[in-house]
Amino acid sequence: MTRAAPLRGTESRPPDHSTVTLRVNGTAHELYLDHRSTLLDVLRERLDLTGTKKGCDHGQCGACTVLLDGRRVNSCLLLAVAQDGARVTTVEGLGRSSAPHALQEAFVDRDALQCGYCTPGQICSALGMLDEAERGFPSYVTSPDEPPGAPVALTPDEIRERMSGNLCRCGAYPRIVEAIQDVGDLGDVGGEAP
């Protein structure tokens, strides 16, 4: 991270902008950012990646979920300047219209979309949680009898618990669970963009 030189006459004030590099969907972007900018706002307003939605802006709805270095995060809660050098994957980085990601296809096949506003966050969260389950990260409902570190079976209860941070006001939950289960049954679903 490169700090900006202070303006003449403001030497006593700490800098309020910095230059950072974010690797978004496989492309490095060097950005001069206000320290108060959230990752969500930078993605939408500076990089024009509007697939990631602004919902509650308080980390409660999950509409802004992206993958940060492979882990799912609420991008509305993260300051972009603190993510210097990080890999960010948005829904735009998962597939193309001519070759959608398996999760995108499953959401369409299962009609798990309805209004679609929450769908990008749901898909990014689903990809992150499939990886977490495959790597044996337990959830609240995982049986304590499961061997530590072994892949966790994706029952509907496991999927519901792991996706509980993503809200759908249309009530498409049953179809979302079915779509994720379809892809989870495939095994390796491919990861995030390079």
Side-chain angles (χ1 to χ4, degrees):
M1 176 171 24
T2 305
R3 297 213 181 265
L7 298 175
R8 183 174 287 196
T10 62
E11 290 83 2
S12 62
R13 292 178 46 196
D16 57 5
H17 284 70
S18 296
T19 301
V20 300
T21 301
L22 298 176
R23 186 172 176 83
V24 182
N25 298 332
T27 302
H29 298 272
E30 187 175 291
L31 302 160
Y32 183 65
L33 300 175
D34 186 311
H35 291 178
R36 298 166 294 181
S37 301
T38 66
L39 179 59
L40 171 62
D41 289 338
V42 169
L43 291 171
R44 291 183 56 82
E45 297 169 12
R46 296 287 302 273
L47 300 179
D48 207 25
L49 294 169
T50 56
T52 304
K53 301 300 188 233
K54 181 178 273 198
C56 66
D57 217 15
H58 289 84
Q60 296 174 347
C61 74
C64 66
T65 303
V66 298
L67 300 174
L68 184 72
D69 291 331
R71 304 289 304 268
R72 53 190 171 152
V73 296
N74 290 326
S75 60
C76 73
L77 296 181
L78 300 177
L79 294 175
V81 71
Q83 312 312 319
D84 188 34
R87 277 181 307 121
V88 180
T89 303
T90 69
V91 72
E92 290 95 341
L94 297 182
R96 306 286 177 263
S97 58
S98 59
H101 187 276
L103 276 166
Q104 293 168 318
E105 285 187 320
F107 270 62
V108 171
D109 290 347
R110 288 289 189 167
D111 194 21
L113 307 166
Q114 297 206 11
C115 92
Y117 194 83
C118 71
T119 303
Q122 297 270 3
I123 289 175
C124 285
S125 188
L127 185 58
M129 81 91 171
L130 286 170
D131 181 59
E132 292 163 13
E134 180 63 29
R135 293 196 291 152
F137 292 6
S139 77
Y140 181 74
V141 299
T142 303
S143 169
D145 298 332
E146 292 287 328
V152 177
L154 289 175
T155 64
D157 285 343
E158 274 286 349
I159 294 171
R160 285 188 198 97
E161 171 58 24
R162 291 173 185 271
M163 294 294 292
S164 63
N166 291 76
L167 303 180
C168 171
R169 293 180 193 279
C170 299
Y173 297 119
R175 296 301 193 176
I176 291 170
V177 170
E178 292 167 2
I180 293 170
Q181 202 162 25
D182 287 350
V183 175
D185 290 345
L186 295 175
D188 183 17
V189 297
E192 55 182 313

